[in-house]
Amino acid sequence: MKFRTLSILSLAASLVAGQNFCSSANHSGQSVKVTSNKVGSIGGIGYELWADSGNNSATFYSDGSFSCSFQNAKDYLCRSGLSFDSTKTHDQIGHMYADFKLVKQNIRNVDYSYVGIYGWSRNPLVEFYVVDNWLSQYRPGDWVGNKKHGDFTIDGAKYTVYENTRYGPSIDGNTQFKQFFSIRQQPRECGTIDITAHFQQWEKLGMKLGKMHEAKVLGEAGSNGSGTSGTADFTYAKVYI
């Protein structure tokens, strides 16, 4: 009975914390502004800015939050969260979650976009996305993958799962790798993502990750034309085990 009481209290505290970061999140702690492609860390939080063109920047904070700013970018990614050394699978690391709150500002000319969880594994080399929102006008469609597995209820919401094989830039240079996607049917600007729940669903479909390189909250925007511009401000972002 005592254990049950503690569990209920813990759940209530978790719900209150969730309501707090969705309603009143602000950046805090030390910060670093990055104006060119860079991988780094601040306060034990890993981060990366990568873009193939344009005038871009990102500010990362030691509490895990960050702000992405892009101008005339063809493809722009910024992310913050957990970095790993590619020696352990997600099962060995533990159950992963992420909390995030997104504020979109002055978004223009975005043809494709992913907001949510992003990462890589090695052996096999996989780039993975859990997409809970997007900066483009439309939800990412069937073009994201050459194999559509269908719709599944994952972490309490409906997601469409895709698998893709491509050749291009990766954490190990230009090479062939797999891509896994879970794309939420209804976007949200704040919430908690059960990352491991997606990994487990993918594995049921034969989509197996390797040893973990990273799992981070992501903002990505791309353009098929002259370039995209805007700001994706993650006033709260935390990936945890």
Side-chain angles (χ1 to χ4, degrees):
M1 190 67 177
K2 184 176 180 181
F3 174 77
R4 178 174 173 78
T5 303
L6 287 174
S7 297
I8 292 171
L9 290 173
S10 177
L11 176 60
S14 176
L15 291 173
V16 169
Q19 292 167 358
N20 285 343
F21 80 76
C22 282
S23 61
S24 60
N26 288 297
H27 302 291
S28 64
Q30 296 179 319
S31 66
V32 57
K33 184 174 182 178
V34 178
T35 57
S36 59
N37 292 0
K38 184 177 180 181
V39 178
S41 65
I42 181 170
I45 306 296
Y47 66 77
E48 182 166 356
L49 167 65
W50 184 91
D52 63 358
S53 58
N55 183 17
N56 311 295
S57 66
T59 302
F60 300 97
Y61 295 81
S62 58
D63 67 347
S65 66
F66 60 111
S67 183
C68 313
S69 179
F70 43 97
Q71 184 175 357
N72 300 323
K74 292 281 192 178
D75 192 19
Y76 171 98
L77 299 86
C78 68
R79 55 195 189 268
S80 173
L82 296 181
S83 299
F84 306 106
D85 61 4
S86 301
T87 63
K88 296 180 180 179
T89 64
H90 73 86
D91 287 329
Q92 294 171 319
I93 290 169
H95 205 111
M96 282 184 271
Y97 299 88
D99 301 333
F100 79 98
K101 180 180 180 181
L102 167 69
V103 178
K104 307 175 187 179
Q105 297 173 315
N106 304 317
I107 305 296
R108 297 186 300 277
N109 302 325
V110 179
D111 293 312
Y112 63 89
S113 170
Y114 314 113
V115 171
I117 300 303
Y118 176 85
W120 288 87
S121 76
R122 286 188 168 100
N123 299 315
L125 186 63
V126 179
E127 181 183 38
F128 63 84
Y129 293 83
V130 177
V131 181
D132 265 39
N133 206 325
W134 40 90
L135 306 176
S136 48
Q137 184 178 358
Y138 302 106
R139 176 178 181 258
D142 291 350
W143 48 266
V144 303
N146 53 29
K147 185 173 184 179
K148 182 179 181 179
H149 288 275
D151 297 332
F152 302 87
T153 299
I154 309 172
D155 186 21
K158 191 77 76 175
Y159 288 81
T160 307
V161 175
Y162 297 89
E163 183 178 353
N164 195 36
T165 301
R166 64 165 296 182
Y167 184 95
S170 76
I171 55 172
D172 292 330
N174 286 331
T175 188
Q176 183 171 293
F177 56 91
K178 287 279 192 179
Q179 291 178 311
F180 299 164
F181 292 87
S182 288
I183 301 179
R184 204 174 199 268
Q185 290 195 353
Q186 298 298 323
R188 56 176 172 171
E189 295 185 349
C190 188
T192 298
I193 300 172
D194 185 337
I195 302 171
T196 296
H198 289 267
F199 295 168
Q200 292 170 341
Q201 178 60 60
W202 294 345
E203 287 170 350
K204 291 177 184 177
L205 298 168
M207 301 161 59
K208 188 168 179 61
L209 294 168
K211 295 182 177 179
M212 297 296 297
H213 172 74
E214 65 179 325
K216 295 181 172 69
V217 176
L218 166 80
E220 178 175 0
S223 169
N224 298 320
S226 59
T228 180
S229 300
T231 299
D233 192 10
F234 292 86
T235 56
Y236 194 91
K238 189 180 295 292
V239 182
Y240 53 96
I241 299 167

